[in-house]
Amino acid sequence: MRARDLAAPFPTVGLDTSALEAARLLAGSDLPGLIVVDRRGHPTTVLAGTQVLRMAIPRYCIDDPALARVIDEDHADRFLSDLADRTVEQCLPDKHGELPVVDPKATVLEIAALMARARSPLVAVVGGGDMLGAITLDALLDRMLGT
Amino acid sequence: MRARDLAAPFPTVGLDTSALEAARLLAGSDLPGLIVVDRRGHPTTVLAGTQVLRMAIPRYCIDDPALARVIDEDHADRFLSDLADRTVEQCLPDKHGELPVVDPKATVLEIAALMARARSPLVAVVGGGDMLGAITLDALLDRMLGT
């Protein structure tokens, strides 16, 4: 089995999409992450769900649990509202890890190894410069285990 | 909103559960990860889905994409079969990161910061030594965004 056999349509967001809209897409569709595409539709970033969450959280709260603890409940409840005024591009991390993208010919082991290495439950399948679809961890396991 | 308001029942696996059975549970129930409990039912490890996948993949394939590429398609297709003869305990990584566990009083910001820091779309809620339930990234976003 190859990546081309597993690739399925997957919604994408643009760099100029509102970050709040992107978070809503993630939440509303039970997706494990988001694929950000440039104007030509090519994947520029693949974000695991926890990386999308990271866009909304002040850096000091991620680095130090004690600092997250001093924010009171009312303010904590509103932490996602900061996303409303920003685009996906403005929220993206400065440093990217390995882009979770595979060739259509990649085997399931290559796909799984990439998911494990990049800690991404989502990979994009790109051939000839075009995005052919995406593979989720869940879809991969379902196909391998017949669940 | 606090962790105790968000905690929901979540299936667990034991240290002596078959690793293949654990992978089937992950795949079949669309869970974002697994919670491994000791004999007293206390969470000992919380594994994101990509960490469960890691249990089945030879280390050299994770470290080096070129080595994963030389395994032929037939062998690649069977990579999960190695899980059948091992228990969850035998497959767990030697080193654990921060255990994604929160106190029932944790705010949504604390929960989100932990998910982002540990890159875990799943946290267990533990109070008085007992596991009260778990919170998924998806459930957190659904409650915060009303999707």
Side-chain angles (χ1 to χ4, degrees), chain A residues 2-12 35-37 40-44 46 100-106 111 122-136:
Chain A
R2 303 279 179 170
R4 60 173 169 258
D5 308 315
L6 290 163
F10 198 88
T12 58
I35 297 177
V36 185
V37 294
R40 294 168 304 164
H42 299 176
T44 164
V46 178
V101 164
V102 293
D103 186 90
K105 285 189 220 152
I111 301 163
L122 174 68
V123 301
V125 183
V126 173
D130 292 323
M131 181 169 141
L132 306 179
I135 303 168
T136 64

Side-chain angles (χ1 to χ4, degrees), chain A residues 83-107:
Chain A
L83 289 177
D85 303 324
R86 291 184 291 164
T87 64
V88 166
E89 186 165 27
Q90 287 167 334
C91 293
L92 286 180
D94 296 334
K95 286 186 186 176
H96 297 307
E98 182 180 11
L99 189 62
V101 164
V102 293
D103 186 90
K105 285 189 220 152
T107 63

Side-chain angles (χ1 to χ4, degrees), chain A residues 1-2 24 27 30 49 54 57 61-62 65 73 76-77 80 108 112-113 116-119 137-138 142 144-145, chain B residues 1-2 24 27 30 49 54 57 61-62 65 73 76-77 80 108 110 112-113 116-119 137-138 142 144-145:
Chain A
M1 201 182 310
R2 303 279 179 170
R24 282 189 197 281
D30 291 352
R54 180 178 276 264
I57 307 171
C61 289
I62 296 178
E73 187 175 346
D77 280 351
L80 285 175
V108 286
R117 190 165 57 244
R119 297 176 73 170
L137 168 57
D138 205 61
D142 281 351
M144 301 306 294
L145 296 171
Chain B
M1 201 181 310
R2 303 278 180 171
R24 283 188 196 282
D30 290 352
R54 180 178 277 265
I57 307 170
C61 289
I62 295 178
E73 187 175 347
D77 280 350
L80 285 175
V108 285
E110 285 179 75
R117 191 166 56 245
R119 298 176 74 171
L137 168 59
D138 205 62
D142 281 350
M144 301 307 293
L145 296 171

Side-chain angles (χ1 to χ4, degrees), chain B residues 88-141:
Chain B
V88 166
E89 187 167 25
Q90 287 168 333
C91 293
L92 286 179
D94 296 333
K95 287 186 183 174
H96 297 309
E98 182 180 11
L99 189 62
V101 163
V102 294
D103 185 90
K105 286 188 219 153
T107 64
V108 285
L109 182 59
E110 285 179 75
I111 301 163
L114 175 59
M115 286 179 174
R117 191 166 56 245
R119 298 176 74 171
S120 174
L122 173 68
V123 300
V125 184
V126 174
D130 292 322
M131 182 170 141
L132 306 178
I135 303 168
T136 64
L137 168 59
D138 205 62
L140 180 80
L141 286 178

Side-chain angles (χ1 to χ4, degrees), chain B residues 9-146:
Chain B
F10 198 88
T12 58
V13 297
L15 287 164
D16 55 357
T17 302
S18 144
L20 187 59
E21 195 182 316
R24 283 188 196 282
L25 175 67
L26 183 75
S29 347
D30 290 352
L31 304 174
L34 290 177
I35 297 178
V36 185
V37 295
D38 62 20
R39 288 184 184 172
R40 295 169 304 163
H42 299 177
T44 166
T45 315
V46 178
L47 294 169
T50 53
Q51 291 170 293
V52 178
L53 204 57
R54 180 178 277 265
M55 302 196 303
I57 307 170
R59 180 64 202 237
Y60 64 86
C61 289
I62 295 178
D63 292 340
D64 188 343
L67 292 178
R69 210 168 296 133
V70 298
I71 310 286
D72 68 37
E73 187 175 347
D74 284 350
H75 282 91
D77 280 350
R78 291 195 298 271
F79 82 96
L80 285 175
S81 61
D82 283 348
L83 289 177
D85 303 323
R86 290 184 293 164
T87 65
V88 166
E89 187 167 25
Q90 287 168 333
C91 293
L92 286 179
D94 296 333
K95 287 186 183 174
H96 297 309
E98 182 180 11
L99 189 62
V101 163
V102 294
D103 185 90
K105 286 188 219 153
T107 64
V108 285
L109 182 59
E110 285 179 75
I111 301 163
L114 175 59
M115 286 179 174
R117 191 166 56 245
R119 298 176 74 171
S120 174
L122 173 68
V123 300
V125 184
V126 174
D130 292 322
M131 182 170 141
L132 306 178
I135 303 168
T136 64
L137 168 59
D138 205 62
L140 180 80
L141 286 178
D142 281 350
R143 279 291 286 271
M144 301 307 293
L145 296 171

